[in-house]
Amino acid sequence: MHDPRVLLDPATDAVRRLARRGFHLDVESLEKLLTSRNSAIHRGDEARAEAKRTAAAVKSATPQERPALVERARELKAVVSAAESEHRELEAQLQDLLLGIPNLPADELPDGASDADAEVVRVWGEPPAFDFTPLDHVDLGERLGILDLPRATKLSGPRFTVLRGKGPALERALARYFLDLATEHGYTEFSVPTLVNRETMTGTGQLPKFEQDLFKTGVGDRELFLIPTAEVPLTNLHARETLALEDLPLAYTAHTPCFRSEAGSYGKDTRGLIRMHEFSKVELVRIVDPARSRAELEVLLGHAEAVMRGLGLAYRVVKLAAGDIGFSAEFTYDVEVWLPGQQRYREIASASDCGTFQARRAGIRTKAKDGTRGFAATLNSSGMPIGRTLVAILEQGQQADGSVRIPEALVPYTGFDVLTPA
């Protein structure tokens, strides 16, 4: 969330920057609400100050003076009450407006609004060459006997999956491998709830704008949401807290199931494991000094890339266009893995710098040794989504005889180095 005064400061250039991501900032409405709210605050403060002076005057007033002063005190009490009521209403309207304004994209991001506008930063590894026509992960998974989409559809409908045999073993191995790498890089592992409240979802920017993308449930009269990513609970661990600046950065990780309705995405990636309603992921979150957020993003990206390199998977890093980054992000790198079945690179992880945007919403403050206060910067990245990494392993590791070679780094976790057709 933004400080409205910063949005209205010409030096921020908020209108132009938000237009790059396709958002029109209604400056007139924002300025009107801010002015009206501040006016209500000022009227209330003036009335309270006069009421205090009037109360003191009543004590020393003569019998003749006292009735008029008492009447004035009643009038001032009504003025204060009206000003407070108006302030609350205008504050709520202002907050609603601010909660719907996305983060300001960094100027160094390329123009555009789709993955076609992304800027390639680097490419690692050679896409595997085959002397046969490579299969996609669905055909491979079914031949190997580890993937059963028809039964998943029978149980829950489309965009769910059932893994069996060595499939779940490989899925479990990936999670352990990712978490071990994360702890080697200094991340503290957490086990967090997958059901969170509205305030928590609002803190990281999923609400109110993207409620249609979430699965909502409840316990009694409690409203709860299934998390779309562990970024939500991990970042909000420090909601409404003040952190010592010298204790930053904080580095957290968690392996959780994730749930997304994929509203508006039907017709996209309907085959296989690319776009699911339920999937598991290891998430990386860093809470840092805002002055170091962009440098910390490079550190975070390096940790995501280390996963890919450790598995020997060909990938590339792209800088997303200004109109294609997430609501809370100001800068995003995507890690895209090569999928032979599609003959293209596909996103497998995103590393984003959110600046102080989420911290303002969640109330994650900082205090320096000299007493200076501010807000933390938050960053997040997929440490990898298990399903999409499984897709890449199947497709890049496939052999002419229908088997799939398992990356060497996973063998200590799986106990096997090859998947063979069932």
Side-chain angles (χ1 to χ4, degrees), residues 276-307:
M276 309 298 293
H277 287 314
E278 179 181 357
F279 59 97
S280 64
K281 182 157 64 85
V282 173
E283 186 75 6
L284 305 176
V285 164
R286 297 180 75 84
I287 301 175
V288 307
D289 181 344
R292 286 194 43 79
S293 68
R294 201 52 52 82
E296 289 284 351
L297 179 62
E298 299 297 328
V299 171
L300 181 64
L301 176 63
H303 296 157
E305 287 188 77
V307 173

Side-chain angles (χ1 to χ4, degrees), residues 10-83:
T12 305
D13 204 8
V15 173
R16 177 192 64 82
R17 293 173 67 185
L18 287 169
R20 294 186 70 217
R21 62 184 304 159
F23 184 89
H24 170 68
L25 178 62
D26 189 345
V27 174
E28 184 178 347
S29 294
L30 177 60
E31 194 166 28
K32 182 179 178 181
L33 273 174
L34 183 62
T35 300
S36 297
R37 184 205 64 173
N38 291 345
S39 176
I41 293 172
H42 181 66
R43 286 200 308 277
D45 288 345
E46 283 192 329
R48 272 186 288 271
E50 186 181 346
K52 186 176 181 181
R53 292 193 298 271
T54 302
V58 168
K59 294 178 181 179
S60 58
T62 66
Q64 293 79 14
E65 295 171 331
R66 186 172 291 114
L69 290 171
V70 169
E71 180 59 29
R72 181 55 180 163
R74 289 196 190 99
E75 293 173 355
L76 290 170
K77 183 177 180 181
V79 171
V80 169
S81 178

Side-chain angles (χ1 to χ4, degrees), residues 252-327:
Y252 297 158
T253 187
H255 172 222
T256 66
C258 304
F259 305 88
R260 298 181 184 178
S261 74
E262 298 294 353
S265 68
Y266 284 91
K268 300 177 181 178
D269 298 311
T270 56
R271 179 174 168 83
L273 309 181
I274 298 296
R275 197 181 295 272
M276 309 298 293
H277 287 314
E278 179 181 357
F279 59 97
S280 64
K281 182 157 64 85
V282 173
E283 186 75 6
L284 305 176
V285 164
R286 297 180 75 84
I287 301 175
V288 307
D289 181 344
R292 286 194 43 79
S293 68
R294 201 52 52 82
E296 289 284 351
L297 179 62
E298 299 297 328
V299 171
L300 181 64
L301 176 63
H303 296 157
E305 287 188 77
V307 173
M308 303 299 290
R309 296 187 182 196
L311 295 175
L313 295 173
Y315 73 93
R316 70 180 185 182
V317 175
V318 301
K319 186 189 299 182
L320 289 192
D324 198 31
I325 59 176
F327 180 83

Side-chain angles (χ1 to χ4, degrees), residues 397-409:
Q398 60 184 298
Q399 309 294 308
D401 62 1
S403 65
V404 170
R405 301 295 304 182
I406 301 302
E408 186 177 343

Side-chain angles (χ1 to χ4, degrees), residues 178 182 187 229-232 234-235 252-255 258 260 281-287 296-308 331-335 347-354 358 378-385:
F178 294 166
Y187 290 81
T229 165
E231 167 202 345
V232 175
L234 286 176
T235 302
Y252 297 158
T253 187
H255 172 222
C258 304
R260 298 181 184 178
K281 182 157 64 85
V282 173
E283 186 75 6
L284 305 176
V285 164
R286 297 180 75 84
I287 301 175
E296 289 284 351
L297 179 62
E298 299 297 328
V299 171
L300 181 64
L301 176 63
H303 296 157
E305 287 188 77
V307 173
M308 303 299 290
F331 193 109
T332 298
Y333 288 114
D334 267 6
V335 178
E347 176 205 341
I348 193 169
S350 289
S352 295
D353 177 5
C354 298
Q358 290 180 327
T378 62
L379 301 91
N380 63 80
S381 174
S382 308
M384 290 293 169

